[in-house]
Each structure stands twice: as structure tokens, then as C-alpha cells.
Amino acid sequence: LVPTPTVRLATPDDLVAVAAIQSASREASQWNPSDYLDHDFRVAIVGNTITGFVVFRRITEDEREILNLAVAPEFRRKGIGNILISTCFEGFRGDVFLEVRASNTTAIKFYKSLNFKILNIRHNYYDSPPEAAIVMKFHSC
Ligand SMILES: CC(C)(COP(=O)(O)OP(=O)(O)OC[C@H]1O[C@@H](n2cnc3c(N)ncnc32)[C@H](O)[C@@H]1OP(=O)(O)O)[C@@H](O)C(=O)NCCC(=O)NCCS
């Protein structure tokens, strides 16, 4: 087991580490990492190492959308994804939405383990490769 990670807001100094985690996580959306700074963008730290990141946006006072989430492959399955999501939505009351590729069964299992429910399926939502999006929602209260 790894020591409990801490989660903090990301800064421009974190972008190199975030880009490396993103490129090692092909199932994650591939953004220009500096665009994450326009949103609510947080990193998980273990010791001195950035082990994962989450990006979400505020749609309204009581709606949030997760834009991206990834944990470094060597740190997966240690509760870091769980801590990133839990920390971000602690104290928040409302709905959290996300879209995930239908083939990303790991992420779908992960979100289900956190009590996200499947809301609907958007066929042909993604390009290269074309694929459906599973829309999931979590109600935080
Ligand atoms: C999805 C992801 C963020 C999960 O992060 P993580 O830190 O490994 O997840 P956690 O350790 O917090 O897992 C919490 C629970 O999710 C479920 N889970 C996570 N990974 C799983 C897997 N590979 N298979 C089955 N269940 C899994 C389990 O229930 C797990 O609890 P357990 O380990 O006690 O059984 C990580 O796999 C990842 O970065 N994937 C690539 C990027 C990606 O797909 N992002 C999603 C974009 S929408």
C-alpha cells in the first residue's frame, strides 16, 4: 500500500508530470495539458510524486462535469482515483456527470464502485475510433 495521497490544486509547474501521466493513459482524453488550467484541475501527490490528476468544470451551482481523470499506471488500484474524486466532491451537493468510452470497462467499473450510475448512451459520440459514450451521473448530498 502507498501512503495516503494528498490532493491539491494543480499549478503550471505540474504540467510536465500531468502530460506524462496522460500519455501513459491512452484511455483518458488527450488534451493540451495547459488547457486544464482553465478548469478546476487537481493533482494527487504521494511523497514528492504526482500520481494522478482530475479536471472538472462547474456547469451550474449544483452541477459539475468531470472532463478528465487519470492515475499513473504504476499507482493504479491503490485508491488514488477514488481519493481524487472523493476529495473534489466532498461538501458539494448536486450532480456530477461524465462521459466515458463504451470500451473503457475499467473506468466504468471504477465509477460504478464510486456509485456513479449509467444515465444514457450516446451512439457514435467519439471519433478515431468511432465509439459510443456512456454518460454517467453521481448524486452527491
Ligand atoms: C480509471 C482510473 C482513473 C482508476 O484509478 P485507480 O486509482 O486505479 O482506482 P482506485 O484504486 O481508486 O479504484 C477504486 C475501485 O474502482 C474499481 N476498479 C479500479 N480499477 C479497476 C480495474 N482495473 N478492474 C476492475 N475494477 C477496478 C475497483 O472497485 C476499485 O476498488 P478495489 O481496488 O478496492 O477493488 C485508472 O484506471 C486510469 O487512470 N485509467 C486510465 C485513464 C482513464 O480511463 N480515465 C477515465 C477517463 S473518463
Side-chain angles (χ1 to χ4, degrees):
L1 263 179
V2 292
T4 306
T6 52
V7 175
R8 62 157 172 77
L9 286 173
T11 72
D13 289 342
D14 301 322
L15 291 175
V16 170
V18 165
I21 294 171
Q22 175 173 280
S23 16
S25 304
R26 302 317 299 182
E27 307 90 340
S29 305
Q30 301 293 311
W31 288 45
N32 177 347
S34 57
D35 291 344
Y36 292 140
L37 294 166
D38 297 337
H39 299 284
D40 200 313
F41 173 27
R42 300 180 191 202
V43 287
I45 320 272
V46 174
N48 292 319
T49 307
I50 294 180
T51 57
F53 69 95
V54 64
V55 189
F56 62 97
R57 87 185 168 94
R58 293 152 198 260
I59 303 173
T60 61
E61 196 46 47
D62 55 6
E63 283 183 50
R64 301 280 187 269
E65 179 185 16
I66 296 176
L67 298 173
N68 214 353
L69 167 73
V71 171
E74 62 275 26
F75 284 97
R76 287 186 193 158
R77 217 62 202 269
K78 298 177 193 301
I80 292 172
N82 184 334
I83 285 171
L84 274 167
I85 297 290
S86 320
T87 313
C88 287
F89 300 112
E90 206 171 61
F92 164 71
R93 295 175 69 159
D95 293 325
V96 181
F97 295 92
L98 64 91
E99 289 137 15
V100 56
R101 278 186 181 267
S103 63
N104 193 352
T105 51
T106 296
I108 294 167
K109 282 181 198 159
F110 165 77
Y111 289 121
K112 281 184 173 168
S113 83
L114 300 185
N115 255 328
F116 279 77
K117 308 288 181 210
I118 292 180
L119 201 60
N120 65 304
I121 299 175
R122 295 190 186 131
H123 294 284
N124 292 313
Y125 182 78
Y126 292 106
D127 297 322
S128 50
E131 196 177 334
I134 308 292
V135 184
M136 300 183 81
K137 174 181 140 175
F138 170 72
H139 184 72
S140 177
C141 46

